[in-house]
Amino acid sequence: MLRTTVRHSCPLRVICSVSRQSHVGVHSRFYHPSRRLSDDLSGMPPPLEGIKVLDLTRVLAGPTATMLLADLGADVIKIEEISKGDDTRTWIPPSAPIVPSAPAESSHLPPESAYFLATNRNKRSMTVNFKTPEGLEIMHRLIKKSDVLVENFTSGKLATMGLGYEDCKKLNPRLIYASITGYGQTGPYREAPGYDAIVEAEAGLMHITGEPDRPPSKVGVAATDTATGLYAHGAILAALLSRQQTGEGVWIDCNLFDTQIAGLANIASNYLIAGQEASRHGTAHTSVVPFQVFPCSDGFLMICAGNSKQFKLLAEKILDNPALVTDPRFATNEARVANRAELINIITDVLQKQDRAHWIEQFTGLGVPFGFINNIKQTFDHPQAIARQVAVEVEHPRAGKVKLVAPAVTYNGKRMTVRMPPPWLSEHTMEVMTELGYSPAIIKSLRERSII
């Protein structure tokens, strides 16, 4: 059972504490060990322990959602296509090496792709051809025992196979059925496949990403997919709480298109409230100046002077030009926005005369939010990343020791445990089939006929 007590007479109360310094740049704070959560705190018991999740998703949005549920203790069974599994298993290079001690029964498989390893920790893998009657029966048995089913097939596709929401609801009225699609279950685009880059283009994100004098650009990572996975994960938790109150399952309709429009945040509000069309500003902020990347002699520096107090510090302590503070062109944020180009040129002329190390020393502790543009190695070598232990090493049966990004949230000072490495294809088929009550002889027959 979900370990949460909800009283019918009052709504669930959630208290969030956010530091008033949350907008301060990473280098303008000092790390104080005495301020961190105590190392002897015991964390939190896995709240989804005992919850069974049937994962029929591939690639990124769906697997992200189910991985987050698995991190919280859910038993996630990833249902994969028999011959090649999740599409991302074949997205190599890069991949992890295969160790000599790898299980013999996995010798026909390609190396474990870095992409697949990124979003499938704490799951079990099972292969089923549910286009066959015997495979469909296996799925029906799993559905009857599951709390949640997550799928990212095109809208209506699973219904043609006997696995749509109404089909599953008849088997298990308490089932949470989460559909993750490109455009949702309604509307003229409901049957269109969903691709992160296409939705970035159609839902406004690509229009506002890139330099003003260059073509639109996609974000460097599949941000819409990832955000959709986060929305789906939260929606599933909400549905589980609802089921405690009503005893009934829920059909969740989560999609990339709605998620990306919601993610436009203030840009969407600017249009809805004031009819203001957006444009590309590179790293700059549309309504705050200076708030963008600047070059130094050996790299790039992001500065976010979000108010006049921070601009005063920048002008006096970094630019050594206190007259800027009272200059009518720059005295207020509105004036700075109007005279953006002039001010950016002044700041650029100063910053590019010195190197990264010089500006780290000058900015640290000043109170002006800033950060250097780090590559991926520099990101994982960042002192805050090391202090927070953002990577975790796990033992993989085929790849040996592999490093994964750790779960992003701590509870009472502890992250949820990575209990299992990402599975190799069909690693747990025999185990799950046995749990469903199938005999070794039947399992052998089903394997020989490529049903599992």
Side-chain angles (χ1 to χ4, degrees), residues 292-313:
Q292 68 179 71
V293 164
F294 293 91
C296 55
S297 66
D298 63 347
F300 294 91
L301 170 68
M302 182 73 193
I303 296 176
C304 303
N307 56 50
S308 291
K309 178 181 178 181
Q310 291 170 347
F311 177 68
K312 183 174 186 291
L313 288 170

Side-chain angles (χ1 to χ4, degrees), residues 55 57-67 123 150 152 180 225 229:
D55 181 3
T57 69
R58 298 90 66 205
V59 189
L60 185 55
T64 295
T66 54
M67 179 179 69
K123 302 178 186 179
V150 190
N152 65 349
I180 301 174
D225 269 344

Side-chain angles (χ1 to χ4, degrees), residues 192-210:
Y195 293 92
D196 177 276
I198 302 300
V199 173
E200 280 191 40
E202 290 196 309
L205 181 59
M206 203 173 286
H207 173 71
I208 59 175
T209 304

Side-chain angles (χ1 to χ4, degrees), residues 179-293:
S179 295
I180 301 174
T181 59
Y183 298 88
Q185 300 297 316
T186 59
Y189 279 54
R190 64 185 178 276
E191 295 182 0
Y195 293 92
D196 177 276
I198 302 300
V199 173
E200 280 191 40
E202 290 196 309
L205 181 59
M206 203 173 286
H207 173 71
I208 59 175
T209 304
E211 296 298 326
D213 58 345
R214 301 293 300 275
S217 176
K218 76 178 185 67
V219 178
V221 70
T224 305
D225 269 344
T226 301
T228 304
L230 289 166
Y231 264 110
H233 153 255
I236 290 165
L237 295 178
L240 286 167
L241 290 173
S242 173
R243 189 180 70 174
Q244 284 193 176
Q245 297 173 328
T246 67
E248 298 178 354
V250 177
W251 187 9
I252 294 168
D253 177 2
C254 188
N255 65 85
L256 276 65
F257 190 71
D258 289 2
T259 294
Q260 183 48 66
I261 291 176
L264 291 175
N266 61 297
I267 300 299
S269 188
N270 290 347
Y271 173 76
L272 293 174
I273 301 302
Q276 179 179 316
E277 183 54 82
S279 56
R280 289 183 293 285
H281 291 269
T283 61
H285 197 291
T286 57
S287 305
V288 182
V289 176
F291 196 111
Q292 68 179 71
V293 164

Side-chain angles (χ1 to χ4, degrees), residues 398-412:
R398 298 189 73 226
K401 293 185 183 300
V402 295
K403 289 183 178 179
L404 307 173
V405 176
V409 179
T410 66
Y411 305 87
N412 290 333

